[in-house]
Structure formats: C-alpha cells, structure tokens
Amino acid sequence: FAIDTKHYFAYIVHPCAHDIELFALDGETVLRFGKYGSAAGEFKSPRGVYLDHHAARLYVADYNNDRVQVFE
C-alpha cells in the first residue's frame, strides 16, 4: 500500500481482484480502478504501489505482466 499524506488517501493493491483501491483515511472507498488484462490500466496480479509525491505519479508493480505502470 501507499499513503498520500498531502491528500490523506491510502492506495491498496488487490492482487486477486487485479485492481487498486483508493481509500480516504476514514475508511471510505474513494476510487477503484483496473481490471484483469494486459492493456494500459489493466493488471495481472499487481503486487505493490509507490506514490511519488513530488512528481504526482503512482507506480504500480504489475507482476504477471512483468512491468511497472505509471499513472499521473
């Protein structure tokens, strides 16, 4: 998971659901994105996320697609 301390969100990886969920720190789901596949924005068992606060980018380790996807 990754924490956005500027906007107070948590990014949670769901490897079996092949998506990423964005939670407000009160526990409410704000956004859920991604699905099974190999196109841009799709995942096969994502395993980790990293939030670059300075560049405003989210990096997702897309394990079975053997890549890192970058979202701005």
Side-chain angles (χ1 to χ4, degrees), residues 5-49:
T5 56
K6 183 176 179 181
H7 300 102
Y8 303 105
F9 294 127
Y11 293 86
I12 308 296
V13 177
H14 297 285
C16 295
H18 311 285
D19 65 13
I20 309 297
E21 193 165 5
L22 175 62
F23 285 98
L25 294 185
D26 66 2
E28 183 178 335
T29 298
V30 175
L31 174 71
R32 197 164 185 162
F33 68 95
K35 64 178 183 176
Y36 181 83
S38 57
E42 298 177 345
F43 308 106
K44 289 183 183 174
S45 298
R47 297 294 170 95
V49 291

